[in-house]
Amino acid sequence: MLRSLILARGIHTSSANWSSSKAQLLKLRKKTGYPFESCKKALQLNDNSLEKSEVWLKEEAQRLGWAKANKLANRATAQGVIAFAIDNQKEVATMVEVNCETDFVARNKCFHSVVEIVTSSCLDFAKQQKALENSFSKVNLKSGDLMEVKRC
């Protein structure tokens, strides 16, 4: 009888710890965007410290994934698509070139839909610029700049 009480008490205690670590796990996952398994491992290795776990996750991501991305960053992107978007009422037009590595990607429907979204976003950006000035202007947006363009 005594053993069953101790077992029940141990289970109760561990479930209380699990709910707090589960809350931390969800918080870390939401903050970083990394998979649950990685967040769980980070919390276990860092004594449930959110700050230390976040630092560890960033280091792991850089060690495992970003090294590969950096290696691919210097590859030539000789293929791609040029798209146009015109708003006759506002007298605004945009021309967008989106590059990729292979012609297979350039012919992909998913790639075309991304190009369509980018072109539409650039047209919205051009409409805002047109309101500020009434002349022809050329704007070069790199990928970092494009992230700042808000989709309406």
Side-chain angles (χ1 to χ4, degrees):
M1 178 99 179
L2 185 59
R3 287 185 185 177
S4 64
L5 287 176
I6 293 171
L7 179 63
R9 188 172 196 181
I11 291 172
H12 177 70
T13 303
S14 65
S15 66
N17 289 339
W18 168 244
S19 69
S20 66
S21 61
K22 184 178 178 184
Q24 286 182 316
L25 176 64
L26 292 172
K27 190 174 184 177
L28 184 63
R29 164 77 171 106
K30 186 175 182 180
K31 188 174 182 181
T32 62
Y34 292 115
F36 280 109
E37 289 298 317
S38 299
C39 292
K40 185 177 178 180
K41 184 176 180 181
L43 286 169
Q44 288 172 348
L45 292 174
N46 294 294
D47 298 325
N48 289 333
S49 170
L50 288 175
E51 294 81 18
K52 290 179 183 177
S53 297
E54 189 176 348
V55 170
W56 183 85
L57 282 169
K58 287 180 182 179
E59 289 172 356
E60 279 295 295
Q62 188 171 11
R63 185 177 66 83
L64 297 174
W66 293 350
K68 184 177 180 181
N70 287 337
K71 186 168 63 172
L72 299 176
N74 295 327
R75 286 180 142 175
T77 53
Q79 302 297 318
V81 174
I82 296 175
F84 296 91
I86 301 169
D87 185 345
N88 289 327
Q89 293 176 348
K90 301 254 183 179
E91 296 180 344
V92 175
T94 60
M95 180 177 76
V96 174
E97 178 183 7
V98 181
N99 296 323
C100 58
E101 288 184 25
T102 66
D103 60 332
F104 297 107
V105 173
R107 289 183 272 156
N108 187 312
K109 288 181 183 180
C110 292
F111 183 77
H112 284 221
S113 66
V114 169
V115 171
E116 196 173 304
I117 291 169
V118 169
T119 306
S120 175
S121 297
C122 288
L123 182 63
D124 294 339
F125 178 78
K127 287 179 191 177
Q128 293 170 0
Q129 299 301 313
K130 181 70 173 170
L132 299 175
E133 60 181 66
N134 289 327
S135 64
F136 175 80
S137 64
K138 178 180 176 182
V139 179
N140 290 322
L141 296 175
K142 301 289 183 191
S143 61
D145 300 329
L146 192 58
M147 297 303 269
E148 295 176 15
V149 174
K150 294 185 179 176
R151 176 91 173 115
C152 296

